[in-house]
Amino acid sequence: MTEAAKQPLLDVHDLRTHFHTFGGTVKAVNGVSFDIAEGEVMGLVGESGGGKSVVGFSILGLIDSPGKIEGGQILLDGEDLVKAGEARLREIRGREISMVFQDPMTSLNPLHSVGRQMDEVLRLHSDLDAQARHSACVEMLESVGISRATERLRAYPHQFSGGMRQRVVIAIALLARPRLIIADEPTTALDVTIQSQILKLMRRQIAEKGASMILVTHDLAVVSEMADRITVLYCGNVVERGRARELIEAPAHPYTRGLIDSIPDPSNRHERLKQIPGTVPDIRNLPQGCNFRDRCPRAQALCAEIEPKLSAQRGSLSAACHFPLNPGESA
Amino acid sequence: MTDVTAPMLDVRNLEMHFPLGGGLFDRLRIGRKGPRLDRSVVRAVNGVSFSIKRGEIMALVGESGCGKSTVAKTIARIYKPTGGELLIDGEDVANHDFAQMLPVRAKMQMIFQDPYASLNPRQKVRDIVAEPLLQQAKGAEARREVPARIEKLLARVGLNAEHAGRYPHQFSGGQRQRIGIARALSVTPGLIVADEPVSALDVSIQAQILNLMKDLRDEFGLAYLFISHDLSVVHHVADKIGVMYLGFMVETAPRDVLFARPRHPYTRALLSAAPSIKAKRDKQEIELTGEVPSALSLPSGCCFRTRCPFAWDRCAVERPALRDMGEGQAVACHLIDEPERDVA
Amino acid sequence: MTAFLQSEFFHNYCRSSSAMIGSGLMAFFALAVLIGPFLVAQNPYDNATLNLLDSYKPPMWLEGGDPQFPLGTDGQGRDVWASILYGARISLFIGLVAMIASCTIGTVLGLIAGFYGGLADSIIMRIADIQLSFPSILIALFLMSAVGTGIDKVLIALTAVGWVVYARTVRGSTLSEIEKEYVQAAKVAGLPNTKIIRKHVLPNVLTPLIVIATIQVGTFVLIEASLSFLGVGVPITKPSLGLLIKNGFDVLFSGLWWTSVFPGFAIMMLVFGINLFGDFLRDELNPRLK
């Protein structure tokens, strides 16, 4: 299975989404490019302020004032979503692309029963009759592990626990058989035992339905278990991307290395964690050159002058760094 | 000089039950026998015991609703325990009133979870950090030393003197957590209760704060009660670990023992569910079904039986007691008596 | 000061025409009540300056008008313009003092109810609920008929009506503030409850009150006007805008409209200005609307 042979389902090219606030322009996403093949899981990783959620919202055309997509292309099967009108985007949302958020309550309407909300999706995005829609809903709820589905369809969101609600949201996201699912921190609010249930469920459903997924998260451990490829964001830029295992085991960018090293892991016996010094710079006031240089142990004079461009490194990796790491080298 | 070998914190059979919230009218129920008051209680903590020595870090882990945060807040005496003993530096403070607690507060402080909510947005950093100190410093002499001490504390946690005049919103999450740590340190306590101190922080910042907390332990001989839901964080900081479920302690053990030989099915499930960045280890998978029952009506017998893959009839009848397994490990599970049932 | 001029609040203020009009009207009335009485020749309550020969003169642009009395005169020969300036003074004084009293009492009760809960909470909030189930003008009328008339009585009546909204708001925000960790941190620091309330809770529940207080001044001006119009408000010797309307109302249908229409217009503009500015404050200070 080679990704190169497939035509990408989604191709994001040089996406720039800026927010014009009173305090200045926040360049939340500033030239992000990546692509996703059919059936692939892409992990979008970064810390808060990295712009990872804004990428997801931009793809769905959900950027509200004061935010604006300032440039770039989002090609879904060759169709540019940046140029698409609101009517076309509404058609695409739910049918072609659906979304799973961190807090299930934000995507469920507390006033309507789960069944009604599921039915609505099918009414909008399919031409099934009422009977067929009902059985499709029951089948979907059962497939996400909710027992007594016929009965549970009549229940309201507050009658479900947090984990069950997230299952419902996933069921709704999968209902119209979308080709791409954007999951924004889908398990961050959940406990570990529930998280592992949900992650297993998502993996299985995606494989069964042949959908692709963008998994937006801060948790490298979660993406490393889920994703085929990983894109790492820092201050609105892609700093590194590549196949998941390669990137986790021997990253080329010092930021990725730092992120991985700062995760405490039971198999790692160091008394002190390796930490990335300093904090994320103010995104309204980014330094010239490389955004990461103030926190980077490898930074040299060149890094202050020229912003590194994303370029191919060893294997499947590409990184935006003047002095990339070799395998086994620490930052 | 106090006895150095005595535990800094000794919790015996701690119990914390909350009456269901609401005023008279909210709790009024009209039943067949006329009106009555709803007197249900939330059984958040149900008889938890453990002790922490000076310089030792004990972690409590468990999922949301397991009572670990309530244990922390009860020990910090934000709540008054409804039962059990709470010995801080050898003194039982479970029933202390406000005035009796004041000297104890110089020995025990707390670090909170949310770096945004744990600092008063309308106070300057200087006043935030000085708050516990000013309650202890009586007399003009002691008060005059406060500003210099604040400056030293801020420097110790990695901030500088200029920061003292700013407001919390001018800082990032990690910096705010440092301010919270400086506040806790201001009275040079022997025990710090840390309630999920890094779970709201980005990983790179999380590492900074964990390292800082460990350094402070080494420097001041602090004892920590470290509350967390994250097993990898706990593995990194803790000397010993207690696993809680529905207000009960189901297993306690020194860190390495717990990670090498977890005995309770819940501990094993937690360990196998934790996502890891390393390529799949061949770990024993215990998959849990269902969710945590309500603390309003606990299951009979073992609290974990509703989700336990091994549960049998005995578990519904008899509540297992925490039993010593040697090497500092204690487990509350009937499987110890009947190990032959331990087959997935 | 420069920090304020560069702030987002000031920036938005300059871009909001309703805020500008509202605060302009408020500033006009503030100036009018502060220095207005020094600008008019006549003190309408000093009988020595009145001349009955000047009674019922129409506004100056009508036939028979006198430039000395730009908005005409009433039956005693009082200048309507001067009466409005003096009357607005009394109306605003009552509105402001009653607002401050309501705000203080309501805030204290709300803090107690929210922080301590239990019986105190139940008692305070049930009284508030009962109070809210009556129209405020009815409560004021009832109180006024019981304790008599006079500015002090009006103030008592307005305060009795006005504290509830603060108590409820403060109780609500107190309940959400005391759940926040900084209040728990203050407990762990060993602060007594009174100090926690004063230093931590109070400063953080005040913001929503600014909006309520602003709009309430307008409401109080209206209630006071209604009470005076009904004859249970301020005494005849201290005519507020409401009493002016009442006095003029008696002769309204004799074609002498100016004696009540101009004071009425003044009240309208005053309350309109306050409400416009209050709405702007609400939008600015409520983070949920942003």
Side-chain angles (χ1 to χ4, degrees), chain C residues 130-145 157 160-161:
Chain C
I130 292 167
Q131 173 111 219
L132 277 183
S133 55
F134 288 99
S136 50
I137 189 88
L138 194 68
I139 298 174
L141 259 179
F142 176 74
L143 278 170
M144 300 294 292
S145 51
V161 168

Side-chain angles (χ1 to χ4, degrees), chain B residues 23-25 73 76 78-79 98 102 105 108-110 112-114 117-123 131-132 135-136 183, chain C residues 118-119 122 126 177 179-193 195 199-201 203-205 207:
Chain B
L24 274 181
F25 288 91
K73 287 175 181 171
I78 292 171
Y79 307 137
F98 176 78
L102 196 56
R105 300 212 178 276
M108 175 250 325
Q109 278 292 309
M110 187 157 173
F112 293 86
Q113 172 175 9
D114 183 349
S118 62
L119 309 177
N120 183 346
R122 307 205 179 244
Q123 266 186 320
E131 195 147 67
Q135 299 312 306
Q136 304 294 340
R183 167 172 64 191
Chain C
L119 192 63
S122 292
R126 288 305 83 74
E177 288 304 313
E179 286 302 311
K180 291 200 182 148
E181 287 178 338
Y182 70 85
V183 174
Q184 299 182 344
K187 281 190 190 168
V188 175
L191 261 71
N193 283 342
K195 227 171 169 178
K199 278 179 69 180
H200 292 286
V201 183
N204 286 298
V205 301
T207 313

Side-chain angles (χ1 to χ4, degrees), chain C residues 48-171:
Chain C
T49 63
L50 301 182
N51 185 347
L52 275 178
L53 289 177
D54 292 333
S55 64
Y56 293 130
K57 286 216 177 243
M60 57 186 271
W61 60 88
L62 292 179
E63 207 185 321
D66 184 340
Q68 199 192 330
F69 308 112
L71 300 180
T73 60
D74 68 1
Q76 272 85 47
R78 283 192 204 110
D79 178 10
V80 171
W81 172 235
S83 303
I84 288 175
L85 291 180
Y86 277 82
R89 211 176 200 187
I90 292 166
S91 291
L92 266 181
F93 170 80
I94 290 174
L96 280 173
V97 173
M99 177 274 282
I100 291 165
S102 307
C103 186
T104 314
I105 293 171
T107 304
V108 170
L109 289 177
L111 283 172
I112 292 172
F115 192 87
Y116 292 100
L119 192 63
D121 182 27
S122 292
I123 292 174
I124 293 171
M125 293 334 282
R126 288 305 83 74
I127 294 177
D129 286 345
I130 292 167
Q131 173 111 219
L132 277 183
S133 55
F134 288 99
S136 50
I137 189 88
L138 194 68
I139 298 174
L141 259 179
F142 176 74
L143 278 170
M144 300 294 292
S145 51
V147 296
T149 58
I151 288 188
D152 50 341
K153 311 289 184 344
V154 175
L155 289 177
I156 292 172
L158 290 179
T159 309
V161 168
W163 68 273
V164 178
V165 54
Y166 298 98
R168 288 173 69 101
T169 311
V170 169
R171 174 179 178 270

Side-chain angles (χ1 to χ4, degrees), chain A residues 47-48 161 191 193 197 276, chain B residues 63-64 202 204 208 288 291:
Chain A
E47 299 181 281
S48 39
S161 66
D191 283 317
T193 58
Q197 293 172 9
I276 304 178
Chain B
E63 298 179 286
S64 44
D202 279 325
S204 70
Q208 294 176 1
L288 294 185
E291 311 211 1

Side-chain angles (χ1 to χ4, degrees), chain B residues 15-20 39-46 63-68 70 244-248 291-300 303 306 319:
Chain B
E15 195 187 84
M16 188 69 227
H17 293 172
F18 296 99
L20 203 62
R39 291 194 193 281
S40 1
V41 286
V42 178
R43 295 172 198 279
V45 180
N46 304 294
E63 298 179 286
S64 44
C66 75
K68 57 191 193 300
T70 311
M244 285 187 69
Y245 189 82
L246 262 189
F248 294 91
E291 311 211 1
V292 187
S294 157
L296 270 170
S297 54
L298 299 176
S300 65
C303 60
T306 56
R319 181 160 288 165

